[in-house]
Amino acid sequence: MVTAEQMRATGAAIVGMQEESGALPWFPGGQTDPWDHIESAMALSVTGFHAEAEAAYEWSRRKQRADGSWPIRTVCGKVEDAGTDSNFCAYIAVGVWHHYLITGDDAFLQRMWPVVWSAIDCVLRFQRDDGAFRWGGDHRTGAMFGEALITGNASIFQALDCAIRIAAELDQPDDAWTAAHTKLGDAIRTDTARDSEWEIFTPPSEHSMDWYYPILGGAVRGEAGQKLIARRWNDFVVPGKGVRCVDHRPWVTGAETCELALALDALGDTDDAIRLIASIQHLRDPDGSYWTGLVFADGKRWPVEKSCWTSAAVVLAADAVSRTSVANGIFRDVRQRLTVAP
């Protein structure tokens, strides 16, 4: 599939895209968003670039706003979208726990704890009574958008699990986080069990993320997860080429392919996960980075960019199926249900 040396080169390619501030943009000169920034930092941790990963987390610490959030989009240090995305804000917990698992650095965890606490405190304000999280809001006015998107909510589910683990490690458990995690998991499992009618979340879009993320985030596993995967496998998986980003377009993308591989690995279908990761190696560039996608109808790479987060997704998927780093189970080990202490 890929070698350790190749993954190290991919990590180096990500480092090559990192800004002096520590930000990890989509590509040099492109936008930085809080979620993809953390995913890229996680890949740096896996490939041994710990100082560069910590520079990325330091960027997150410095740029966090007083309410615990981050702007949706920053370009070369300039905020271009000041809005708040609840999922983007929650993901810091996944990255911090992941880096701590790899390094065992207590000082790092202590330093990032206020950042995680403030971020999760912010995110919990977006939870509705039915357990789902509103996707975002206007930072200036505090107004929240009512829609609850399944991909973002599935990712928040994993983030809450990691945040609860961090709190327990520091002997600062928070029952409100556990209760929020439980309510969200119940909501995700209720809606994904339906074949068509969704009542809690906005109905899934044409994007493959809405299909596999409930498994990737950890809320859906076992037989329910297998059924969910089977439901749309033929719509999205192109044998030998990868996974479509959008169901009706002849366009496979490296990130979606590797995220589905992570979901399959979490279900125990590691052989299928390995085949998916292998199928997307046509996107690999000689410098170790990965092109975002391929329009297989005409053989053209599109968009014409080597995105930081695509490279990161490949690293994280390869780490998971090879069981290499001590944090290789960050997606596989998400707990489905937690108990609030009496």
Side-chain angles (χ1 to χ4, degrees), residues 167-252:
E169 185 73 14
L170 297 174
D171 197 25
Q172 299 193 54
D174 193 313
D175 288 347
W177 295 7
T178 301
H181 177 271
T182 298
K183 287 182 65 177
L184 175 58
D186 288 343
I188 293 172
R189 285 185 288 273
T190 296
D191 256 16
T192 54
R194 312 176 201 274
D195 287 332
S196 56
E197 296 297 325
W198 286 56
E199 297 180 359
I200 301 172
F201 299 96
T202 300
S205 69
E206 60 197 6
H207 291 82
S208 57
M209 288 191 300
D210 286 351
W211 163 52
Y212 61 75
Y213 245 86
I215 300 163
L216 179 62
V220 179
R221 292 286 162 85
E223 183 179 354
Q226 296 287 354
K227 288 180 178 178
L228 187 59
I229 287 295
R231 195 181 297 171
R232 301 211 64 188
W233 180 270
N234 292 333
D235 295 335
F236 289 112
V237 178
V238 183
K241 292 184 171 64
V243 173
R244 296 175 191 255
C245 179
V246 180
D247 59 12
H248 63 280
R249 293 180 181 173
W251 176 41
V252 293

Side-chain angles (χ1 to χ4, degrees), residues 65 69-73 79-85 137-140:
R65 297 184 291 209
S69 70
W70 289 268
I72 288 176
R73 184 170 63 252
V79 174
E80 293 205 344
D81 186 339
T84 299
D85 184 307
D138 187 318
H139 177 69
R140 294 167 300 177

Side-chain angles (χ1 to χ4, degrees), residues 261-262 265 270 315-324 328-329 331-332:
L262 285 164
D265 179 61
T270 304
V315 169
L316 293 174
D319 185 47
V321 300
S322 64
R323 310 294 195 262
T324 299
N328 73 78
F331 299 95
R332 191 185 320 112

